[in-house]
Amino acid sequence: MAQSKQKTDREMLLDALQSTKKTSAEDLLFNYKGILYPSTICSKEMFGALETFEARDDDLLIVTYPKCGTNWAVQILHEVVSVIKNQEVVLDQPMIEFGNPQTIEILMIIRNPKDTAISFFNFYKSMPVLPTYESWNLFFKDFIHGNVCFGSYFDYIVEWNKHVDDKKVMAVTFEDMKIDFPTQLKKISEFFELPLTEEQICTVQSRTSFKSMKEKSEDTHGKLGDAFFRKGQIGDWKNLFTEEQSKEVDTKFQQYLAGTKLGELLNYAKYCKM
Ligand code: A3P
């Protein structure tokens, strides 16, 4: 008799992503405590349960704003654990919304706001669980005011900046990972007390390169996999931002993040100037 295999959280998430029909914002999104979420993959009940969520000692926690390299970081941790155990490991990977840092190590990946906005706009276009924007200009208005799924980029960074000095929290930028991956990987692996040899660093680097992840995207992320690995570049924002939009983000950055530790880490002058 054929046995039906129980689906993992991740498989259920991928099923939901693929089977949803793109409809109106009213049908696809819901508001929880002032922030929009996709109703196909999030629920008020889940957020309620998270109020009492407790991490286990061996949990590895990644926090990111959407489109800042979540899937990349997940794959990196997966490969780090695999090379250290010298076997392919299957990590449970529930996607959760998380309030306060607790007692376990938390890896935070941040990315410059302009590339994040462009990546998010393209993701909205390709994901059936998210409503369609008729133009980049309309999306930009909602992004800058925080009226997009998972809330405001700027509020998010401001909030996590409060925890940046916590020894249990380490922030790494998407840009630094692109520019000097081995150094960032070494930092990440040591932070989680899973130090890697030079050889292991090379192995993880090749398994988590953009090309390798894109090629495997259908296996790892299903039919929509390609959309999770679009370009993986720094500076794509220059192809779509108007000068006025660029200045608007500059002003917002100045108001919210100038002089903060995470603001400094983002190296805004290098990555966000025309
Ligand atoms: P782009 O849309 O700019 O290409 P998230 O996983 O948080 O949704 O982030 C998605 C962004 O990370 C996408 O950016 C994607 O291409 C990029 N990305 C994913 N894996 C990557 C990798 N291995 N190297 C570089 N960028 C990667």
Side-chain angles (χ1 to χ4, degrees), residues 72 75-77 79-80 83 176-186 196-213 216:
W72 192 7
Q75 193 61 26
I76 290 169
L77 291 192
E79 297 299 347
V80 167
V83 298
D176 284 345
M177 296 211 301
K178 279 291 290 182
I179 284 172
D180 185 0
F181 187 80
T183 303
Q184 301 309 314
L185 175 58
K186 194 162 182 293
L196 300 175
T197 62
E198 293 298 312
E199 197 187 332
Q200 288 170 329
I201 287 183
C202 289
T203 306
V204 174
Q205 179 165 25
S206 77
R207 290 186 192 165
T208 59
S209 71
F210 180 76
K211 186 168 174 287
S212 150
M213 289 186 69
K216 285 186 282 193

Side-chain angles (χ1 to χ4, degrees), residues 5-273:
K5 187 176 142 280
Q6 199 160 13
K7 292 199 170 182
T8 62
D9 286 351
R10 186 179 163 75
E11 284 167 340
M12 287 194 291
L13 176 67
L14 290 178
D15 280 354
L17 286 181
Q18 287 165 52
S19 59
T20 306
K21 290 228 166 359
K22 222 178 196 0
T23 51
S24 63
E26 293 72 40
D27 287 341
L28 290 170
L29 304 179
F30 72 98
N31 189 316
Y32 183 76
K33 298 191 177 176
I35 295 183
L36 294 172
Y37 295 98
S39 38
T40 322
I41 54 173
C42 299
S43 69
K44 288 185 180 163
E45 291 71 31
M46 178 194 74
F47 290 119
L50 285 174
E51 305 273 339
T52 52
F53 168 80
E54 277 186 33
R56 289 187 317 230
D57 285 352
D58 63 346
D59 280 342
L60 304 177
L61 203 66
I62 303 170
V63 298
T64 57
Y65 184 79
K67 313 319 295 168
C68 292
T70 323
N71 289 277
W72 192 7
V74 168
Q75 193 61 26
I76 290 169
L77 291 192
H78 181 104
E79 297 299 347
V80 167
V81 177
S82 292
V83 298
I84 286 196
K85 294 200 164 188
N86 201 16
Q87 66 184 62
E88 176 72 8
V89 290
V90 181
L91 299 182
D92 287 339
Q93 186 208 322
M95 301 292 239
I96 54 171
E97 287 306 304
F98 192 70
N100 290 314
Q102 302 179 357
T103 53
I104 57 161
E105 282 78 14
I106 297 177
L107 172 65
M108 185 194 320
I109 311 286
I110 57 174
R111 186 181 192 183
N112 81 68
K114 294 181 182 176
D115 281 331
T116 301
I118 294 292
S119 181
F120 213 173
F121 170 59
N122 282 292
F123 197 65
Y124 256 82
K125 276 205 290 198
S126 51
M127 282 295 133
V129 296
L130 298 173
T132 305
Y133 275 90
E134 273 165 31
S135 68
W136 155 248
N137 289 344
L138 288 174
F139 179 82
F140 176 80
K141 277 204 185 93
D142 276 350
F143 179 82
I144 198 90
H145 293 116
N147 296 327
V148 287
C149 267
F150 301 99
S152 154
Y153 169 95
F154 297 94
D155 289 346
Y156 174 90
I157 307 271
V158 165
E159 197 53 39
W160 276 99
N161 193 62
K162 294 177 189 162
H163 305 291
V164 78
D165 288 327
D166 189 324
K167 284 194 184 58
K168 296 276 182 186
V169 176
M170 184 171 76
V172 170
T173 70
F174 178 98
E175 291 77 13
D176 284 345
M177 296 211 301
K178 279 291 290 182
I179 284 172
D180 185 0
F181 187 80
T183 303
Q184 301 309 314
L185 175 58
K186 194 162 182 293
K187 257 172 50 182
I188 293 171
S189 65
E190 286 168 1
F191 174 69
F192 283 117
E193 294 177 32
L194 298 166
L196 300 175
T197 62
E198 293 298 312
E199 197 187 332
Q200 288 170 329
I201 287 183
C202 289
T203 306
V204 174
Q205 179 165 25
S206 77
R207 290 186 192 165
T208 59
S209 71
F210 180 76
K211 186 168 174 287
S212 150
M213 289 186 69
K214 192 172 176 76
E215 277 168 8
K216 285 186 282 193
S217 63
E218 200 173 329
D219 294 338
T220 56
H221 290 72
K223 274 187 263 154
L224 298 169
D226 206 45
F228 288 84
F229 306 95
R230 193 183 59 93
K231 286 190 176 176
Q233 291 170 359
I234 303 173
D236 194 32
W237 64 270
K238 291 181 186 165
N239 295 318
L240 217 49
F241 266 71
T242 63
E243 208 174 321
E244 196 185 325
Q245 288 167 341
S246 176
K247 284 192 179 139
E248 233 179 295
V249 179
D250 295 349
T251 306
K252 197 95 177 175
F253 187 88
Q254 198 58 31
Q255 283 169 350
Y256 280 67
L257 298 170
T260 66
K261 284 207 174 162
L262 289 184
E264 293 296 308
L265 190 68
L266 280 168
N267 206 341
Y268 194 85
K270 180 166 176 193
Y271 297 116
C272 284
K273 291 293 177 185

